[in-house]
């Protein structure tokens, strides 16, 4: 049913709206202002992504509000012919699901492309004007029906189905038809699909390729990429409106088996009795992602049944990480339990028994993973935090450097702005032993500590109202430690930017940059400035730890297109200096499709234990 035909539900009924449109956007700031004004006035929450070549929107709210939003969008010529997918649904079952799916706030961002097809921002994605031919749900179904009923041997294997989605999506539902092979790339993220297509092009050459995804947008770029390969790759077709429109036409599922994974609080849609997947641990029939269980290493969603979730202390290792030998201990059932729970010809059983258990790495695997590291490690420039220096930061990261010694070489530099040493008044030694609580001023230490062995302190950004640059030696602290002091440190970027450019010239090249606390804020500013100046990035990736954003929150600004890893304390953590929300805002400044977020339960540090270290290694391996 088209959106315009959807009956208006009761005012309390919630709904979800999805749509995308590829078309040149003549005025990006104006479109940003429209979405900000319209969505806020209608109390719509969710994600709006705006690129020079179109928009991609997933928002939720009251059904009448969503219908008003559709009417407003339809009045704009830009959106002529847009397929609006509107569905009524229940409210999110809990706050955690709503938060993970992005339905607790309105996020409007300007991005380079609507869906990131390549993790390397310097490589251009194919133009959607060369995308495959659209097939309606009925046409798509008819092709599969005819292929299944065609008994002529020469017609068999003429068609292939290509699923453009990620592994955790395909695990719970996919198309299956007689005489048509379904190709499941089993990728962790969409930007891995180009490599899979390149490596398996022989399975696509000369075939009629029927592509599908959730709502259609991923097929636009992927089909264009396949067609760009030339002769033998011309016959590419894509399901218009994706699985969602197909299930509307064929409520019983048709040739689609299982459920359709969706990126909102509905989690999945389709025949609730049609379960094609199983629990990662015990193999029992299961396909519910509502508990949001994730792999301890790559954070991909995994299916873990309720009984297995109830067993305390278990870690989850996804199929992809298992195949790469991840994990600190065997995570699956013991061998005798496997034979009891799973049939010997089960695909799940085959994958589990053939996988290398986490924690067991053979010499061959080690050589494969680090074969090139002996030639050249990744060189990473490290930026320390406020009132630190290169020496102290090197000491604080010595454990991390030791555990990554086979992969990286850290290079440390002092920031250009030297700060005075500070001290606070404190009780003198005799008073520390006294039971008195009202000491006279004379009992406090008034003089600064000795200057012997005091190392200089530096900063990348400083408070413009401070006269610290003119001060030398020690000075008394004006107030006790202020955890929000970083918000006033907005001056000195230009000097730090050109200082880093000189460092890169003298000591580079570097593969990546790592910033801690204020160093992370400086890292983001540096990457943004290079992008703004349209210069080639000096770094292939950025790692930002316990950071905060010193960038203007003007929504019209572009996302930073540098592959990034963000590591910071979660909302229950012990970081008393940089709040979780501040670090989240910094992560939001980067293009989300090529960024990884690691939240830990520790303090204002860079964690060096599993699973956090393993996630960092996984990120770094992309660039080796």
């Amino acid at each position: 049913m088209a959106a315009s035909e959807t009956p208006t539900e009761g005012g309390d009924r919630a709904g979800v709206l999805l749509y995308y449109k590829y078309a040149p956007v003549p005025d990006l700031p104006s479109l940003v202002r429209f979405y900000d004004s319209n969505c806020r006035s209608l109390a719509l929450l969710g994600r709006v992504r705006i690129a020079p070549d179109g928009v991609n929107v997933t928002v939720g709210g009251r059904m009448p509000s969503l219908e008003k939003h559709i009417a407003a969008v339809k009045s704009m010529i830009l959106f002529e012919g847009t397929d609006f997918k509107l569905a009524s649904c229940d409210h999110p079952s809990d706050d955690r699901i709503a938060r993970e799916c992005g339905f607790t706030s309105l996020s409007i961002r300007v991005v380079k492309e609507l869906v990131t097809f390549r993790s390397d921002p310097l490589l251009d994605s194919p133009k959607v004007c060369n995308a495959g031919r659209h097939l309606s749900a009925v046409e798509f179904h008819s092709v599969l029906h005819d292929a299944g009923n065609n008994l002529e041997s020469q017609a068999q294997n003429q068609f292939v189905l290509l699923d453009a989605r990620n592994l955790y999506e395909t695990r719970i539902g996919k198309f299956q038809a007689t005489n048509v092979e379904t190709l499941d790339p089993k990728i962790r993220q969409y930007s891995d699909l180009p490599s899979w297509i390149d490596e398996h092009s022989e399975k696509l050459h000369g075939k009629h390729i029927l592509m599908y995804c959730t709502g259609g947008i991923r097929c636009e770029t992927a089909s264009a990429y396949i067609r760009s390969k030339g002769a033998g790759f011309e016959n590419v077709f894509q399901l218009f409106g994706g699985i969602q429109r197909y299930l509307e036409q064929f409520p019983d599922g048709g040739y689609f088996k299982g459920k359709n994974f969706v990126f909102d609080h509905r989690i999945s849609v389709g025949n609730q009795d049609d379960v094609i997947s199983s629990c990662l641990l015990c193999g029992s029939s299961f396909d519910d992602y509502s508990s949001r269980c994730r792999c301890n290493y790559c954070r991909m969603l995994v299916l873990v049944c309720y009984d297995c979730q109830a067993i305390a202390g278990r870690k989850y290792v996804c199929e992809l990480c298992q195949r790469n030998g991840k994990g600190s201990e065997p995570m699956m059932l013991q061998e005798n339990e496997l034979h009891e729970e799973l049939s010997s010809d089960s695909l799940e059983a085959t994958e589990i028994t053939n996988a290398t258990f986490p924690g067991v790495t053979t010499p061959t695997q080690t050589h494969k993973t680090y074969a090139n590291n002996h030639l050249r490690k990744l060189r990473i420039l490290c930026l320390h935090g406020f009132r630190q220096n290169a020496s102290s930061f090197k000491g604080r990261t010595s454990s991390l450097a030791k555990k990554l010694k086979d992969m990286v070489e850290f290079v440390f530099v002092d920031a250009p702005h030297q700060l005075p040493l500070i001290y606070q008044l404190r009780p003198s030694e005799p008073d520390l032993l006294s039971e008195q609580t009202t000491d006279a001023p004379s009992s406090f230490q008034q003089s600064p500590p000795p200057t012997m062995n005091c190392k200089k302190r530096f900063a990348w950004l400083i408070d413009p109202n401070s006269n610290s640059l003119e001060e030398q030696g020690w000075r008394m602290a004006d107030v006790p430690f202020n955890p929000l002091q970083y918000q006033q440190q907005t001056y000195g970027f230009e000097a730090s930017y050109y200082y880093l450019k000189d460092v890169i010239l003298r000591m580079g090249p570097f593969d990546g940059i790592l910033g801690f606390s204020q160093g992370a804020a400086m890292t983001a500013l540096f990457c943004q400035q290079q992008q703004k100046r349209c210069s080639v990035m000096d770094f292939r990736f950025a790692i930002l730890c316990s950071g905060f954003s010193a960038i203007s929150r003007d929504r019209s600004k572009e996302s930073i297109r540098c592959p990034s890893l963000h590591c910071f304390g979660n909302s229950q953590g012990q970081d008393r200096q940089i709040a979780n929300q501040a670090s989240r805002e910094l992560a939001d400044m980067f293009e989300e499709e090529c960024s990884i977020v690691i939240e830990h339960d520790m303090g204002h540090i860079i964690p060096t234990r599993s699973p956090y270290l393993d996630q960092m290694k996984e990120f770094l391996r992309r660039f080796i």
Side-chain angles (χ1 to χ4, degrees):
M1 181 180 294
S4 59
E5 300 170 349
T6 303
T8 303
E9 303 281 348
D12 291 333
R13 188 65 170 163
V16 174
L17 172 65
L18 300 87
Y19 64 94
Y20 71 90
K21 178 65 176 181
Y22 275 105
V25 178
D27 189 345
L28 283 171
S30 176
L31 194 57
V32 168
R33 289 192 293 270
F34 163 76
Y35 273 105
D36 184 54
S37 173
N38 181 270
C39 291
R40 293 189 186 282
S41 66
L42 295 173
L44 302 183
L45 304 176
R47 302 177 298 274
V48 177
R49 299 296 177 256
I50 305 174
D53 60 349
V55 300
N56 185 14
V57 177
T58 301
V59 290
R62 309 288 188 191
M63 286 294 289
S65 296
L66 292 169
E67 290 168 347
K68 290 178 181 178
H69 175 75
I70 292 173
V73 172
K74 278 186 173 181
S75 67
M76 305 168 69
I77 298 177
L78 175 67
F79 294 93
E80 183 178 357
T82 300
D83 179 29
F84 296 94
K85 305 176 186 72
L86 176 62
S88 62
C89 61
D90 295 326
H91 292 278
S93 57
D94 60 54
D95 292 339
R96 181 168 54 88
I97 292 177
R99 183 173 61 254
E100 281 200 19
C101 295
F103 281 81
T104 56
S105 62
L106 176 64
S107 171
I108 304 173
R109 290 176 56 184
V110 174
V111 296
K112 179 184 179 182
E113 52 187 333
L114 299 185
V115 285
T116 301
F117 190 60
R118 299 177 185 272
S119 57
D120 188 341
L122 299 180
L123 295 177
D124 292 330
S125 294
K127 302 299 183 183
V128 296
C129 60
N130 192 40
R133 175 188 160 192
H134 286 147
L135 294 180
S136 69
V138 173
E139 290 172 324
F140 197 84
H141 183 89
S142 178
V143 171
L144 295 179
H145 178 270
D146 292 344
N149 290 292
N150 195 328
L151 301 180
E152 296 180 13
S153 58
Q154 54 184 276
Q156 293 186 18
N157 299 322
Q158 180 183 4
F159 294 92
V160 293
L161 279 159
L162 177 57
D163 198 319
R165 300 172 302 156
N166 304 323
L167 174 62
Y168 56 89
E169 300 171 76
T170 65
R171 284 279 279 125
I172 65 171
K174 62 181 66 177
F175 277 98
Q176 297 175 2
T178 307
N179 291 338
V180 181
E181 180 184 7
T182 300
L183 301 178
D184 180 358
K186 297 183 178 179
I187 53 177
R188 181 174 282 114
Q189 56 193 6
Y190 181 60
S191 56
D192 294 333
L193 186 57
S195 296
W196 185 93
I197 292 172
D198 293 341
E199 295 168 6
H200 299 84
S201 58
E202 75 283 353
K203 295 183 178 181
L204 305 174
H205 185 268
K207 301 292 181 67
H208 286 70
I209 305 165
L210 304 173
M211 296 192 67
Y212 66 92
C213 60
T214 307
I217 189 170
R218 282 178 279 187
C219 288
E220 301 283 3
T221 308
S223 64
Y225 182 71
I226 295 174
R227 284 172 53 84
S228 70
K229 290 184 171 293
F233 298 93
E234 307 95 333
N235 298 313
V236 185
F237 307 87
Q238 59 190 83
L239 176 58
F240 180 71
I243 303 167
Q244 181 159 335
R245 284 296 187 217
Y246 183 88
L247 292 180
E248 290 176 4
Q249 288 290 329
F250 302 94
D252 63 347
Y255 289 104
F256 186 81
K257 309 303 178 185
K259 298 181 181 66
N260 183 27
F261 182 98
V262 293
F263 295 88
D264 55 65
H265 57 261
R266 294 174 296 169
I267 301 173
S268 65
V269 296
N271 187 344
Q272 296 303 307
D273 297 325
D274 192 7
V275 180
I276 69 167
S277 50
S278 55
C279 171
L280 175 72
L281 299 183
C282 71
S284 61
S285 180
F286 189 75
D287 68 355
D288 184 5
Y289 279 118
S290 62
S291 55
R292 314 305 285 179
C293 295
R294 294 183 180 274
C295 173
N296 283 74
Y297 298 96
C298 70
R299 306 304 294 165
M300 185 173 73
L301 285 170
V302 292
L303 291 166
V304 181
C305 71
Y306 307 125
D307 290 339
C308 289
Q309 290 178 39
I311 302 176
R314 285 192 112 163
K315 294 183 179 179
Y316 310 137
V317 185
C318 75
E319 299 161 49
L320 299 180
C321 285
Q322 287 180 46
R323 291 169 189 167
N324 290 326
K326 297 291 179 60
S328 57
E329 59 184 21
M331 294 309 308
M332 312 307 293
L333 299 174
Q334 299 299 318
E335 186 175 359
N336 60 338
E337 293 175 307
L338 281 172
H339 289 295
E340 292 176 5
E341 297 290 339
L342 302 172
S343 61
S344 60
D345 59 350
S346 161
L347 174 62
E348 185 78 19
T350 302
E351 290 180 346
I352 293 174
T353 54
N354 288 343
T356 302
F357 281 128
V360 182
T361 305
T362 66
T364 303
Q365 291 170 320
T366 303
H367 176 74
K368 180 179 179 181
T369 304
Y370 298 108
N372 295 327
N373 290 7
H374 299 294
L375 299 177
R376 187 181 73 83
K377 300 178 183 178
L378 295 174
R379 297 190 77 234
I380 300 179
L381 179 62
C382 299
L383 309 188
H384 59 71
F386 185 69
R387 288 201 173 278
Q388 295 180 347
N389 55 46
S391 176
S392 64
F393 191 44
K394 183 176 182 179
R396 294 187 63 175
T397 56
S398 59
S399 177
L400 179 67
K402 183 177 181 181
K403 293 181 179 181
L404 296 176
K405 64 180 181 180
D406 292 326
M407 304 178 69
V408 305
E409 173 194 351
F410 286 146
V411 179
F412 300 83
V413 293
D414 291 322
H417 301 297
Q418 183 176 340
L419 301 176
L421 303 172
I422 62 172
Y423 69 97
Q424 291 181 310
L425 296 178
R426 62 183 181 84
S428 58
E429 197 65 27
D431 291 315
L432 291 174
L433 304 177
S434 173
E435 296 182 357
Q436 295 180 3
T437 59
T438 56
D439 300 316
S442 60
S443 66
F444 283 87
Q445 180 176 313
Q446 299 290 336
S447 60
T451 57
M452 186 180 302
N453 298 324
C454 291
K455 295 183 179 180
K456 296 179 180 179
R457 298 289 184 264
F458 301 93
W460 303 99
L461 306 169
I462 58 175
D463 186 339
N465 298 319
S466 170
N467 59 356
S468 58
L469 294 181
E470 288 76 35
E471 297 181 32
Q472 298 295 326
W474 288 92
R475 83 168 164 80
M476 187 185 303
D478 299 324
V479 294
F481 169 72
N482 176 16
L484 298 179
Q485 62 177 325
Y486 65 88
Q487 295 179 350
Q488 282 75 51
Q489 296 159 7
T490 59
Y491 178 75
F493 167 71
E494 285 295 319
S496 292
Y497 177 83
Y498 288 108
Y499 170 81
L500 282 181
K501 290 293 292 183
D502 181 65
V503 166
I504 295 167
L505 182 64
R506 290 185 293 103
M507 304 173 64
F510 296 98
D511 296 285
I513 182 171
L514 182 152
F516 175 74
S517 195
Q518 191 192 76
M522 179 63 200
T523 296
L525 285 167
F526 186 89
C527 292
Q528 186 202 49
Q529 188 72 0
Q530 290 208 305
Q531 180 172 300
K532 181 179 178 181
R533 298 182 181 191
C534 300
S535 59
V536 176
M537 286 280 187
D538 284 313
F539 304 105
R540 298 164 59 201
F541 61 87
I543 301 176
L544 305 97
C545 303
S546 299
F548 58 91
S549 172
I551 300 174
S552 169
R553 288 171 176 76
D554 182 354
R555 287 191 178 87
S556 66
K557 287 188 177 294
E558 273 192 306
S559 298
I560 300 173
R561 300 188 302 273
C562 178
S564 57
L565 174 72
H566 304 265
C567 182
F568 52 86
N570 59 27
S571 55
Q572 287 77 43
Q574 304 299 315
D575 192 335
R576 295 180 295 174
Q577 298 189 43
I578 305 298
N580 170 266
Q581 184 59 33
S583 295
R584 279 191 169 277
E585 290 175 358
L586 176 64
D588 286 342
M589 296 294 176
F590 287 76
E591 193 161 303
E592 60 184 338
E593 291 297 332
C594 58
S595 65
I596 302 294
V597 173
I598 301 174
E599 293 189 65
H600 56 79
D601 55 359
M602 307 170 75
H604 196 60
I605 66 169
I606 305 176
T608 59
R609 62 175 175 82
S610 294
Y612 314 118
L613 181 67
D614 304 280
Q615 293 171 255
M616 188 175 293
K617 287 181 177 179
E618 181 68 21
F619 175 81
L620 291 170
R621 286 193 185 101
R622 300 181 184 181
F623 306 95
I624 293 177

